[in-house]
């Protein structure tokens, strides 16, 4: 299993998602405009519980890594984000899953062993520049 710790910048801190974040995430997601471009919406605490539980299950399967977003200036959680199927960052497009989840198309990316050294060096370069 991948292990990630908190990621912190000047304004926000990404905290590995846990069930303790259900209520704060529900509270910050009340504006219906948030859900306009999503294939679903969360309108109850139970739906947020399901959303978080599903994200944690995906983390256990090494499919993605979810974070709660904490705004340090406001001193509150303001949302969530995740490394979704860890498919960006220099990977090559392998294929397309048409209408796979939520009736949306998903592209699949991959990195093979001979590509890894160059990609790793580039990613470590990003970290050396503190993500800027």
């Amino acid at each position: 299993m991948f292990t990630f710790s908190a990621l912190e910048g000047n304004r926000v801190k990404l905290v590995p998602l846990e069930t303790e974040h259900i209520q704060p995430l529900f509270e910050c997601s009340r504006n219906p405009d948030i859900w306009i471009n999503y294939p679903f919406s969360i309108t109850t605490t139970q739906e947020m519980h399901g959303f978080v539980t599903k994200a944690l299950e995906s983390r256990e399967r090494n499919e993605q890594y979810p974070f709660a977003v904490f705004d340090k200036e406001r001193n509150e959680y303001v949302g969530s984000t995740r490394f979704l199927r860890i498919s960006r960052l220099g990977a090559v497009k392998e294929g397309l899953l048409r209408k796979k989840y939520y009736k949306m198309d998903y592209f699949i990316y991959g990195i093979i062993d001979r590509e890894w050294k160059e990609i790793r060096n580039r990613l470590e370069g990003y970290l050396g520049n503190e993500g800027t």
Side-chain angles (χ1 to χ4, degrees):
M1 182 167 131
F2 298 112
T3 55
F4 288 83
S5 57
L7 303 172
E8 190 165 357
N10 293 331
R11 172 85 189 252
V12 299
K13 182 175 184 178
L14 302 182
V15 180
L17 187 67
E18 298 297 340
T19 55
E20 67 191 45
H21 297 118
I22 292 169
Q23 191 60 39
L25 290 177
F26 178 71
E27 290 172 12
C28 73
S29 68
R30 301 307 354 113
N31 185 336
D33 291 342
I34 292 172
W35 304 106
I36 289 173
N37 293 312
Y38 280 84
F40 61 91
S41 64
I42 294 177
T43 59
T44 66
T45 305
Q46 292 80 13
E47 289 173 341
M48 183 61 75
H49 184 275
F51 176 79
V52 170
T53 299
K54 188 173 183 177
L56 296 176
E57 290 168 354
S58 292
R59 179 173 68 194
E60 289 298 316
R61 291 190 304 270
N62 292 322
E63 294 177 345
Q64 54 188 262
Y65 204 87
F67 293 93
V69 180
F70 185 78
D71 185 321
K72 296 188 308 187
E73 286 184 18
R74 294 173 57 180
N75 197 35
E76 64 183 344
Y77 286 97
V78 295
S80 68
T81 190
R82 56 183 94 187
F83 292 119
L84 182 61
R85 293 182 176 84
I86 320 284
S87 63
R88 306 153 327 290
L89 310 174
V92 174
K93 188 188 319 184
E94 302 280 356
L96 167 67
L97 298 175
R98 297 172 61 213
K99 308 296 183 211
K100 179 69 174 173
Y101 302 105
Y102 305 110
K103 299 180 182 176
M104 296 177 69
D105 294 341
Y106 288 83
F107 289 95
I108 304 301
Y109 293 80
I111 299 170
I112 59 175
D113 55 353
R114 71 173 182 254
E115 300 166 334
W116 175 240
K117 184 177 179 182
E118 179 183 337
I119 292 170
R120 182 188 65 212
N121 289 339
R122 183 172 53 247
L123 294 174
E124 288 176 346
Y126 293 153
L127 293 173
N129 294 324
E130 298 180 352
T132 58

